[in-house]
């Protein structure tokens, strides 16, 4: 199993550009999550999904959108990139009954200038 | 909603010294507790978890943590650290508010092991 994979690893965007961060898991987990990590701030939940077709906002959803058309994929969309979205983004997955343990991808480092 | 406080943002220690990274969480209701480790430029990896039962939990790489319900704490310890333990450590608590399963993370503790 590859676990949770994320692409790209790095990206530089100009203000106002848009992009999609990709996340795929091959563990048949029903839950998937997107976090952002800023220095000294820990991980903040952006959006999460409890299964295909079901998504919900986390703590910091503004400026982002998500969709979940399949169990495996959970892309994160930035429509109008702003410098405040410079961060490291992590995708994670979890299986109901898995006692809360989430499995993380390697992350995408995004810089908006 | 749950919250997690990691009391130290940075902890420098010398190699082979003991270390304790402190974590307190907000609620005394039944919770699951986790410590994750993040090595430089990598994702998060589970170090150990408390679900129920024995309050002393052993994890990978010689780490252990003790669950203390009365003090709502879950401190991480290692009796003798190595240079390779240099990383950021995150404490997390399960949150089932609204029926969805989430984790709430602390802000992290950067452990630096010096020779």
């Amino acid at each position: 199993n590859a676990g949770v994979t994320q692409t790209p690893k790095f990206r530089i965007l100009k203000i106002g550009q848009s992009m999609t961060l990709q996340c795929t898991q091959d563990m048949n987990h029903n839950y998937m999550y997107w976090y952002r990590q800023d220095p000294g701030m820990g991980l903040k939940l952006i959006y999460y999904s409890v299964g295909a077709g079901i998504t919900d906002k986390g703590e910091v959803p503004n400026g982002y959108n998500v969709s979940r058309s399949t169990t495996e994929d959970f892309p994160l969309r930035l429509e109008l990139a702003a410098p405040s979205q410079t961060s490291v983004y992590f995708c994670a997955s979890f299986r109901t009954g898995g006692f809360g343990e989430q499995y993380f991808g390697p992350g995408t480092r995004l810089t908006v200038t | 909603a749950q919250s997690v406080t990691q009391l130290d943002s940075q902890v420098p220690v010398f190699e082979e010294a003991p270390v304790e990274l402190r974590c307190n969480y907000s609620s005394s209701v039944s919770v699951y507790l986790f410590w994750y480790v993040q090595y430089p430029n990598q994702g998060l990896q589970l170090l150990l978890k408390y679900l129920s039962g024995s309050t002393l939990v052993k994890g990978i790489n010689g780490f252990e943590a003790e669950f203390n319900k009365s003090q709502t704490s879950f401190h991480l310890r290692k009796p003798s650290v190595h240079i390779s333990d240099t990383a950021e450590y995150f404490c997390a608590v399960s949150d089932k508010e609204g029926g969805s399963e989430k984790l709430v993370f602390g802000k992290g503790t950067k452990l630096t092991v010096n020779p």
Side-chain angles (χ1 to χ4, degrees), chain A residues 31 33 37 99 101-102, chain B residues 34 36 38 46 49 90 101:
Chain A
Y31 276 86
Y33 309 83
Q37 181 184 25
F99 302 108
E101 178 182 346
Q102 294 184 13
Chain B
F34 305 83
Y36 281 85
Q38 183 181 33
L46 183 70
K49 60 187 175 187
F90 293 94
E101 304 215 37

Side-chain angles (χ1 to χ4, degrees), chain B residues 31-105:
Chain B
V31 293
Y32 300 145
L33 292 156
F34 305 83
W35 276 98
Y36 281 85
V37 60
Q38 183 181 33
Y39 298 105
N41 299 313
Q42 294 188 25
L44 275 72
Q45 176 184 354
L46 183 70
L47 201 55
L48 50 78
K49 60 187 175 187
Y50 172 79
L51 305 180
S52 64
S54 173
T55 57
L56 186 63
V57 180
K58 294 191 183 299
I60 62 172
N61 300 338
F63 283 92
E64 62 183 29
E66 184 154 21
F67 169 63
N68 188 318
K69 186 175 181 178
S70 62
Q71 297 190 3
T72 59
S73 68
F74 190 53
H75 300 334
L76 181 70
R77 300 187 182 103
K78 187 170 182 178
S80 176
V81 294
H82 302 290
I83 299 284
S84 58
D85 293 322
T86 294
E88 190 158 19
Y89 293 79
F90 293 94
C91 182
V93 63
S94 59
D95 186 346
K96 299 184 181 181
E97 186 178 295
S100 296
E101 304 215 37
K102 299 187 282 290
L103 288 179
V104 176
F105 287 85

